[in-house]
Amino acid sequence: MSFPQVRMRRLRKNQAIEDLVAETVLSPSDFILPLFFDENIDKDRPVASMPGVVNHPLKGYDAIGQSIADSGVRSVMVFGNPKSKDPKGTQAYAKKGVSQAAIRGLKENSDLIVIADLCMCEYTDHGHCGIVHNGVVDNDATLAQYGLIAVSQAEAGADMIAPSGMMDGQVGAIREALDNAGFTDIPIMAYSAKYCSGFYGPFRDAVSSSFGGGSRSAYQMQCGNRREAMREIELDLQEGADIIMVKPAMSYLDIIREARDRFDCPMAAYQVSGEYSMIEAAAGNGWLDGDRVMMESLLSIKRAGADMIITYFAERAAKMLR
Ligand code: PBG
């Protein structure tokens, strides 16, 4: 049968019917809100390139937790900007480091699930995601540092560890370090397929990365590679990842879809800073409807196959869904 017996418009007649046949539905519990904490400030500092996003000082956890909980969002991902940076990124695993303090503060003053981003780029003076020897990031020397960071974040109370540095073997090294320290029940959300993307631009501004004009192309993936992403994910699962991630999201929906079809584990997608800023900039100029495009972008990421979305829109989108 086909037209005129078949008429697709019959099921588009009104919202109630459309809701019945909806294939993808967003919920506030799908979202993870990234939170930036900065040791160098004592009141909120707006991130210039990300309208509506701020850096928080190490206080006021109660209010932050309450406002997020009120929106319906239940999970956050913590990033820190330390007082001092050095070649080895020692503040990344300091007992009273910025991410440890923020994690502890949030856990003691809210019911949020706190996921710790684990990387060294915010903590090194050269801005690379690991230990640099002779101008290159030394993969294996970096793994030992990642183990220390993971354990310090778990000791601070993190519910989950999310390594974003794209070192080979990082998931296995972190799993081993966590297990040896008794944290056998702390899951790892692996930034598995993380591309070397220009869409991270505003983030580097947010965390005051000292990276300047450098490149992470020696460890992050090249943008045109699809099969390689599947290998990265497969390796992370073999090393013990509990949740995999594709990042960025919107320009990589094909990667999310393929991973969904191939792997049965939970999958996150990271709608990164540049994706957020693009939408906000266009909306701010009146060139598109910000709320509408925000929801459409999130829906498309879920439709592609992501179970959860890390997004700076988390609170705003959750409020619209209530
Ligand atoms: C750190 C890290 C980055 C992001 C998350 N973790 C930056 C980078 O790799 O350059 C990007 C997040 C965003 O752009 O929103 N490795």
Side-chain angles (χ1 to χ4, degrees):
M1 245 194 301
S2 60
F3 181 82
Q5 290 83 11
V6 175
R7 289 180 184 271
M8 298 303 283
R9 289 181 51 185
R10 282 182 200 124
L11 298 178
R12 295 176 195 152
K13 230 183 285 181
N14 59 46
Q15 191 62 48
I17 292 179
E18 287 217 71
D19 287 350
L20 275 178
V21 300
E23 297 178 39
T24 308
V25 179
L26 289 166
S27 140
S29 54
D30 297 334
F31 305 138
I32 299 166
L33 177 69
L35 285 179
F36 300 119
F37 288 91
D38 189 334
E39 235 177 343
N40 305 290
I41 56 178
D42 54 27
K43 56 178 199 306
D44 283 357
R45 183 171 57 82
V47 179
S49 52
M50 301 176 74
V53 175
V54 300
N55 254 293
H56 297 287
L58 288 174
K59 60 184 182 193
Y61 304 109
D62 210 12
I64 296 170
Q66 197 56 53
S67 130
I68 295 168
D70 287 349
S71 75
V73 171
R74 305 216 297 252
S75 306
V76 297
M77 180 175 268
V78 167
F79 295 91
N81 190 29
K83 233 181 239 150
S84 62
K85 308 187 189 229
D86 61 47
K88 290 190 160 175
T90 52
Q91 281 301 306
Y93 51 90
K95 256 198 162 39
K96 293 190 172 161
V98 57
S99 89
Q100 290 76 7
I103 291 163
R104 195 170 284 116
L106 288 167
K107 286 311 292 179
E108 285 173 358
N109 295 284
S110 76
D111 296 322
L112 294 169
I113 296 295
V114 177
I115 304 167
D117 176 85
L118 188 162
C119 198
M120 287 170 59
C121 60
E122 301 98 322
Y123 301 90
T124 51
D125 50 7
H126 45 70
H128 272 294
C129 300
I131 301 280
V132 176
H133 283 148
N134 304 323
V136 287
V137 175
D138 181 333
N139 190 89
D140 299 10
T142 300
L143 295 182
Q145 301 290 100
Y146 283 6
L148 296 174
I149 303 171
V151 170
S152 73
Q153 290 173 327
E155 282 171 346
D159 295 291
M160 202 181 291
I161 305 293
S164 62
M166 287 300 278
M167 296 302 128
D168 288 325
Q170 64 182 12
V171 172
I174 289 167
R175 185 71 273 157
E176 192 183 335
L178 287 173
D179 289 354
N180 287 340
F183 295 109
T184 52
D185 60 346
I186 298 291
I188 296 174
M189 174 191 279
Y191 285 70
S192 304
K194 177 172 177 178
Y195 287 88
C196 190
S197 168
F199 287 103
Y200 307 147
F203 172 92
R204 294 182 188 167
D205 176 23
V207 297
S208 310
S209 166
S210 44
F211 203 41
S215 166
R216 305 201 204 292
S217 60
Y219 37 104
Q220 297 180 348
M221 286 182 53
Q222 60 167 306
C223 302
N225 284 11
R226 182 172 57 84
R227 296 187 308 251
E228 187 186 352
M230 299 307 123
R231 290 190 71 202
E232 284 282 7
I233 293 169
E234 204 164 345
L235 288 165
D236 280 359
L237 289 170
Q238 281 166 9
E239 290 174 30
D242 300 278
I243 298 173
I244 56 167
M245 192 199 299
V246 174
K247 177 187 174 187
M250 253 170 82
S251 298
Y252 298 85
L253 295 177
D254 57 325
I255 308 297
I256 297 173
R257 167 48 50 191
E258 182 158 354
R260 173 73 298 143
D261 290 343
R262 280 166 77 142
F263 303 103
D264 290 328
C265 60
M267 178 169 49
Y270 199 140
Q271 183 180 48
V272 302
S273 54
E275 300 179 63
Y276 173 87
S277 297
M278 266 190 326
I279 293 174
E280 281 301 282
N285 277 303
W287 294 338
L288 46 71
D289 176 342
D291 282 343
R292 181 174 170 186
V293 172
M294 164 182 78
M295 293 314 257
E296 188 175 332
S297 68
L298 294 166
L299 197 65
S300 73
I301 295 165
K302 191 164 181 191
R303 187 198 62 227
D307 299 299
M308 61 202 99
I309 305 169
I310 302 152
T311 173
Y312 302 95
F313 287 124
E315 271 190 278
R316 201 165 121 201
K319 282 183 192 155
M320 279 185 64
L321 291 167
R322 276 187 320 196

